[in-house]
Amino acid sequence: MKTHTEYLTFNTRKRHELINITRKLEAIVSQSKVREGFCLVSAMHITAGIWVNDEEEGLKEDLLEWLEELAPARPEYRHHQTGEDNADAHLKRTLVHHQAMLPITDGRLDLGPWEQVFYTEFDGQRKKRVVVKIIGE
Amino acid sequence: MKTHTEYLTFNTRKRHELINITRKLEAIVSQSKVREGFCLVSAMHITAGIWVNDEEEGLKEDLLEWLEELAPARPEYRHHQTGEDNADAHLKRTLVHHQAMLPITDGRLDLGPWEQVFYTEFDGQRKKRVVVKIIGE
Amino acid sequence: MKTHTEYLTFNTRKRHELINITRKLEAIVSQSKVREGFCLVSAMHITAGIWVNDEEEGLKEDLLEWLEELAPARPEYRHHQTGEDNADAHLKRTLVHHQAMLPITDGRLDLGPWEQVFYTEFDGQRKKRVVVKIIGE
């Protein structure tokens, strides 16, 4: 059994951002030498998530607008009594989920024809990490 | 360490459908000869998901209605400027999540008393795949 | 390869509750002797979930209020024709997701600086279980 762990670091320019990390993940899988296994991708900061979906500009904007509808930024959250202003980002992370498990088959990410993996930032402009952990053989 | 990979194919009659795949998964686990491990079930098309919940007709209809409320089909999505008409299906996949990890204990799926695994189709009537990947011993 | 399986049992006083189980999970990881691997935490009852987020009282109340907005308790669900009254709890489980996969690195849970793991109960006051399954070496 082989294991391989790496951390990706992000510091986005905008508060909300979707970053396609599929190629970075493919490179990590390749370095791991794992032929059959699992690759966990998990946002370590609680105002960011991981989204496996389509690399299409319109849809990516649709996603961000829709998340704003379902989990709007607004002053009234109780969390903001601590001095924070990002309760909505915690809820948006909950909606997209904070992680994905990617299968590795024949030494490559075993994704569907349109599946791309995105880091989803909801409270950016500061340094944040994602853990990538691979187990297999 | 053992690994085992299979692909399930679906071509639903209706655009929206919930298909209970628990027995199929149990058969795959049995074939894999894995006694202790993990079974990943992941929808490879970005307008479908995996839902682990109750085999009860009313609740299944409730789920589909509720997803329609939270992520309605409507013409205005930016994604539709590409000619597509299924942005809502991408968002519904996001809500139910596109995958589940099932524990395998003593050679069987280690599910709760009412847990059943569903393929959730939100843009059907064409061929789509689900990857089932097992790791264990 | 090592595997280790345990079941946590909950019987909450209130119908809705968030219970921080991070320390319990750390203890299980320690007992497992796994240094590098994955720890699956999955709610076995279909009206409960697992949430990885912040140990902050205000945010935890925000989460429960927000889930009530998006998946309200109401009599009209079709599921209630069976005599049940908890369809909203099934939908709330869907929103927070019912499981999380925690990486284990150097013998410890490899969580972000603020990540805490919660059992999220949406139909409590009775005995329920969570499966914790570890694979690694």
Side-chain angles (χ1 to χ4, degrees), chain B residues 50-65:
Chain B
I50 299 294
W51 188 54
V52 181
N53 220 292
D54 201 358
E55 180 53 85
E56 198 280 300
E57 278 313 311
L59 184 72
K60 286 154 67 180
E61 288 180 46
D62 289 332
L63 177 79
L64 291 176
E65 273 189 23

Side-chain angles (χ1 to χ4, degrees), chain A residues 55-112:
Chain A
E55 180 51 271
E56 198 281 301
E57 278 313 311
L59 184 72
K60 286 153 68 180
E61 288 180 45
D62 288 332
L63 177 78
L64 291 176
E65 272 189 24
W66 173 75
L67 291 172
E68 195 60 42
E69 279 174 41
L70 291 191
R74 58 187 179 200
E76 296 80 9
Y77 292 109
R78 285 194 183 83
H79 184 48
H80 296 172
Q81 294 173 11
T82 63
E84 293 283 356
D85 67 351
N86 60 3
D88 68 298
H90 293 266
L91 303 179
K92 288 174 172 105
R93 161 182 164 106
T94 303
L95 280 174
V96 301
H97 205 50
H98 67 283
Q99 59 181 195
M101 185 64 94
L102 311 175
I104 300 170
T105 304
D106 286 335
R108 302 199 55 180
L109 289 178
D110 196 355
L111 297 172

Side-chain angles (χ1 to χ4, degrees), chain C residues 15-56:
Chain C
R15 182 153 185 168
H16 293 185
E17 220 162 297
L18 296 186
I19 299 171
N20 191 327
I21 58 174
T22 316
R23 287 196 189 170
K24 279 191 188 173
L25 297 173
E26 283 171 347
I28 294 172
V29 169
S30 178
Q31 287 158 27
S32 76
K33 311 280 187 208
V34 167
R35 303 289 304 169
E36 298 289 327
F38 290 141
C39 174
L40 175 69
V41 187
S42 195
M44 302 181 84
H45 293 258
I46 52 193
T47 50
I50 300 294
W51 189 54
V52 181
N53 219 291
D54 201 358
E55 179 51 270
E56 198 280 301

